[in-house]
Amino acid sequence: MKNITLHTLTEMKQDGNKFACLTAYDACFGQLVSEAGVEVILIGDSLGMVLQGNDSTLPVSMEEMVYHTRCVSRGSKGSLIMADLPFMSYATPEQAMHSSAALMQAGANLVKLEGGAWLAETISLLGERGIPVCAHLGLTPQAVNKLGGYKVQGRSADSAATLLEDARMLEQAGAAMLLLECVPSALAKAVTDAVSIPVIGIGAGADTDAQVLVLHDILNITPGRKPRFVKNFMADAESIQDALKAYADAVHSKSFPQPEHGFEK
Ligand code: KIV
């Protein structure tokens, strides 16, 4: 795969071509995931759950994110590397700048943070300093205690309008990408159409510009009940490499996600 840049992804959006994003946390999977044709690798703070066994992402530290970002970036062969800013590492714009610098020096090409309009100043400061940002909206797992659980967001007319307004504001502030988690498919389509930056979805229907899933979920090795937006790509695969390629191909060919992976209202 040729080196993927933000420019590549914006062009893909403009041309109506979907791109794939998948989490990875180490060099070996960084390599396999990029060799499968996945354009964006996310070093997600989901590692707090799938690697560390916590019941939320809140305990993940900056040091841990830097370590895993460095590992993945060594293995990746041309995918764009996106790293999560962990809980409370971007509580102020200045703190966000220092935390993001550490992730960029570990090999990230952009950072992801969770939240709405309150992040506009932070995103604009990071952009001015050469750090592209993806803003994660909808179900923001770092706010699970405030949200009262891992619930679909944007179901009421008011909350949908706020989310759409936040998306527009964050694009204006300089966000390079958006990520929508667990929002009704129609709202995700409205956001995707309203902004010119690429929008990645998870549990957000088929109309976003890209899809993301957690590596352990598509390999069917996450214990317990699976969220409805997850698909087991190991089911018809002969190897992990086959499953990774099946995921990338399914996103590119628009055969994943299907309506049953999304939320109506
Ligand atoms: O941390 C993560 O893996 C994520 C994805 C679920 C989008 O943020």
Side-chain angles (χ1 to χ4, degrees):
M1 185 166 60
K2 68 175 173 118
N3 278 354
I4 302 294
T5 65
L6 283 168
H7 184 70
T8 321
L9 304 179
T10 305
E11 269 186 1
M12 289 181 82
K13 175 177 178 120
Q14 285 161 357
D15 295 344
N17 292 324
K18 306 279 182 191
F19 63 90
C21 175
L22 188 64
T23 67
Y25 314 101
D26 63 31
C28 179
F29 272 104
Q31 178 165 347
L32 294 185
V33 169
S34 57
E35 285 176 351
V38 170
E39 283 84 357
V40 181
I41 300 182
L42 171 64
I43 299 93
D45 59 358
S46 51
L47 69 84
M49 299 170 88
V50 295
L51 299 191
Q52 298 175 340
N54 298 303
D55 62 3
S56 80
T57 58
L58 273 64
V60 177
S61 69
M62 258 319 289
E63 290 69 26
E64 289 161 349
M65 289 308 303
V66 166
Y67 170 79
H68 288 282
T69 301
R70 191 171 291 126
C71 294
V72 171
S73 75
R74 285 189 190 127
S76 163
K77 302 281 176 250
S79 300
L80 193 78
I81 305 287
M82 174 156 78
D84 265 343
L85 284 163
F87 181 62
M88 282 300 145
S89 67
Y90 52 98
T92 66
E94 287 69 27
Q95 190 193 11
M97 199 168 62
H98 292 297
S99 303
S100 303
L103 292 175
M104 300 297 279
Q105 288 180 324
N109 301 117
L110 79 159
V111 298
K112 177 163 81 61
L113 39 66
E114 299 181 9
W118 67 272
L119 283 169
E121 187 190 343
T122 297
I123 289 173
S124 139
L125 177 73
L126 293 177
E128 281 167 5
R129 304 295 193 276
I131 301 174
V133 179
C134 175
H136 184 149
L137 295 166
L139 169 53
T140 48
Q142 291 173 13
V144 61
N145 292 296
K146 184 170 174 216
L147 299 176
Y150 297 99
K151 296 175 182 164
V152 179
Q153 302 295 307
R155 282 193 141 142
S156 69
D158 277 359
S159 62
T162 303
L163 195 146
L164 186 55
E165 195 42 45
D166 283 358
R168 288 201 175 102
M169 199 177 288
L170 296 179
E171 177 181 33
Q172 282 220 320
M177 276 205 281
L178 299 178
L179 188 148
L180 300 179
E181 178 165 355
C182 289
V183 300
S185 304
L187 173 59
K189 177 172 176 9
V191 171
T192 306
D193 292 346
V195 298
S196 55
I197 52 177
V199 178
I200 305 176
I202 174 167
D207 291 312
T208 52
D209 304 306
Q211 298 294 324
V212 60
L213 284 177
V214 168
L215 174 68
H216 292 55
D217 288 345
I218 74 159
L219 299 181
N220 200 34
I221 53 172
T222 316
R225 212 178 113 249
K226 310 282 176 299
R228 92 185 250 145
F229 53 77
V230 167
K231 179 170 172 185
N232 169 12
F233 282 89
M234 270 313 274
D236 299 316
E238 287 184 1
S239 65
I240 286 175
Q241 285 88 335
D242 278 355
L244 298 175
K245 187 160 184 328
Y247 168 68
D249 291 350
V251 173
H252 295 149
S253 66
K254 307 182 188 173
S255 60
F256 175 80
Q258 291 293 314
E260 71 262 22
H261 298 116
F263 301 95
E264 279 299 310
K265 249 289 168 202

